[in-house]
Amino acid sequence: MESKAIAVWSGSGKDGSGHLTTGSKVLDKTPYNFKSRFENGTDTNPEELIAAAHAGCFNMKLSFVLGNFGFTPDSLESNCTVDMVDGMIAGSHIELTAKVPNIDIEKFKECVEDAFRNCPISVLFTDNAEMSLNYTLVE
């Protein structure tokens, strides 16, 4: 499987602007620029997209891991924050709130840690950025 995206940029790094389009067209000429990346702009930025990718990838991986043990989550909500320091991705931090019927906390912890270590986006960060995970299992 291949996933594709197109990024278009015009102008200088600080004063220019661009847009992003994904193969699925979920993003279709979605704007991004310096202000949205380094200040308080309202458009998207690469780090925001990485945070969404990490949260989504982790949730799907966790759902598969839970399924391998016969559990189906009612809900998995992951909030991800990606940190950038000195122009480099420095970390990705996930806060998970999960509702998984009939699972004990030890099995849940085992599944969460497996998914966090092994989701494809986490693997990209392994040697390059600090990762952290906090989780809550609710009834």
Side-chain angles (χ1 to χ4, degrees):
M1 161 139 191
E2 291 183 340
S3 296
K4 297 183 179 187
I6 299 169
V8 175
W9 187 266
S10 299
S12 70
K14 188 165 185 175
D15 296 319
S17 64
H19 59 82
L20 306 166
T21 300
T22 56
S24 66
K25 300 288 188 195
V26 168
L27 299 180
D28 190 8
K29 296 186 178 179
T30 302
Y32 73 112
N33 54 49
F34 178 90
K35 189 172 183 177
S36 66
R37 191 168 190 192
F38 299 106
E39 296 174 359
N40 290 318
T42 57
D43 296 327
T44 195
N45 61 67
E47 292 72 30
E48 177 179 66
L49 298 174
I50 291 168
H54 198 190
C57 183
F58 169 68
N59 280 355
M60 287 183 76
K61 180 66 174 178
L62 179 54
S63 182
F64 282 117
V65 172
L66 288 165
N68 289 338
F69 291 101
F71 299 102
T72 301
D74 284 346
S75 65
L76 302 172
E77 181 178 318
S78 291
N79 295 302
C80 183
T81 303
V82 169
D83 301 323
M84 190 162 61
V85 176
D86 296 329
M88 301 294 290
I89 303 273
S92 184
H93 313 284
I94 293 179
E95 297 278 338
L96 167 68
T97 302
K99 185 174 183 181
V100 183
N102 304 316
I103 195 169
D104 66 70
I105 192 66
E106 287 306 313
K107 180 55 76 177
F108 177 70
K109 178 181 177 183
E110 175 187 332
C111 291
V112 166
E113 290 175 356
D114 177 338
F116 189 62
R117 272 191 322 276
N118 295 303
C119 95
I121 303 297
S122 289
V123 172
L124 289 174
F125 286 120
T126 301
D127 294 329
N128 302 313
E130 176 186 324
M131 292 193 314
S132 67
L133 171 68
N134 292 313
Y135 54 85
T136 303
L137 179 62
V138 296
E139 296 200 24

